């Protein structure tokens, strides 16, 4: 059964997801031989990705400028500070920086140099209600053979009533170790687009087809219950 989780902040989404998987996840052995607990098809809808006080209509001035350093990190979590910022920058940079792939590179340069994010921005500038502002990362030609392949497959932007709605699909999602930085990186990308299309950031929705937790994290994850 697909699950929908609606939360205010990214950290709330992470905590709820971790609990949900530890409670109801089924044992699955992956192709590297790791035991995981897994739920299929979870959507987390984050209403205030930059925190409850971010962005709003302070003194009636629409502010689109949000800072990822204001995003609340779950207590004691290992992704934080500069590490989180560096990771987020990879989401909007076309430079692969020596990695097998980065989302920024796949989105902005990998496919014959096409900058899909700018194309999406142009689509939205041409028609604010466009349904075509979509970018993909999966390259069937190389990803069907490689071992290290993108987990986030697509990012979609919609503007409705001058608000930017961001949706991304992960084929495979390490909820304990990667969902949180992924969500922060996606928010950073949403911020980049929102500034260029002049729309404030609304809900960010993350769809994880396989949402799993690895055995090495069971103990810490269990402690959140
Ligand atoms: O942005 C990313 C990149 C990787 N992973 C995780 C998901 C899987 O646990 C693992 C990749 O393993 P495969 O699904 O490719 O087997 O990495 C993420 O959660 N997010």
């Amino acid at each position: 059964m697909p699950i929908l989780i609606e939360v205010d902040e990214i950290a709330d989404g992470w905590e709820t997801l971790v609990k949900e998987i530890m409670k109801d996840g089924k044992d699955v052995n992956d192709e590297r031989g790791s035991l995981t607990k897994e739920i299929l098809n979870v959507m987390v809808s984050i209403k205030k990705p930059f925190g409850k006080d971010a962005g709003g209509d302070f003194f009636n001035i629409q502010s689109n400028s949000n800072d990822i350093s204001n995003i609340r990190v779950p207590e004691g979590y290992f992704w934080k500070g500069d590490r989180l910022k560096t990771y987020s920058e990879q989401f909007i940079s076309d430079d692969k920086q020596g990695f097998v792939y980065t989302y920024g590179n796949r989105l902005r340069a990998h496919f014959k140099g096409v900058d899909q994010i700018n194309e999406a921005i142009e689509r939205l500038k041409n028609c604010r209600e466009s349904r075509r502002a979509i970018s993909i990362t999966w390259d069937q030609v190389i990803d069907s053979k490689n071992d290290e392949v993108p987990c986030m497959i697509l990012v979609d932007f919609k503007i409705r009533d001058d608000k930017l709605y961001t949706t991304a699909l992960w084929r495979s999602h390490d909820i304990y170790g990667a969902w949180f930085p992924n969500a922060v990186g996606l928010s950073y990308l949403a911020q980049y687009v929102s500034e260029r299309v002049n729309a404030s950031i609304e809900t960010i929705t993350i769809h994880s087809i396989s949402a799993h937790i690895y055995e090495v994290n069971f103990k810490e994850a269990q402690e959140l219950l």
Side-chain angles (χ1 to χ4, degrees), residues 30-32 36 87 91 101 103 138 146-152 170-179 181-182 210 212-214:
D30 72 8
E31 58 209 88
R32 289 193 198 88
T36 62
Y87 177 75
F91 249 81
Y101 75 86
Y103 293 131
W138 186 265
N146 270 2
D147 235 5
E148 210 170 312
V149 292
C151 295
M152 183 187 75
W170 263 260
R171 65 170 177 85
S172 169
H173 226 159
D174 170 4
I175 300 304
Y176 197 89
W179 187 93
N182 285 164
S210 162
H212 51 264
I213 295 180
Y214 285 98

Side-chain angles (χ1 to χ4, degrees), residues 120-137:
I121 290 167
E122 288 310 311
R123 289 265 194 201
L124 292 168
K125 281 184 175 165
N126 285 338
C127 169
R128 280 181 91 64
E129 293 178 334
S130 174
R131 296 178 295 239
R132 301 174 187 173
I134 185 115
S135 308
I136 60 163
T137 65

Side-chain angles (χ1 to χ4, degrees), residues 128-131 158-165:
R128 280 181 91 64
E129 293 178 334
S130 174
R131 296 178 295 239
K158 299 262 185 291
I159 299 175
R160 297 290 180 263
D161 296 327
D162 282 329
K163 295 186 177 96
L164 182 72
Y165 292 84

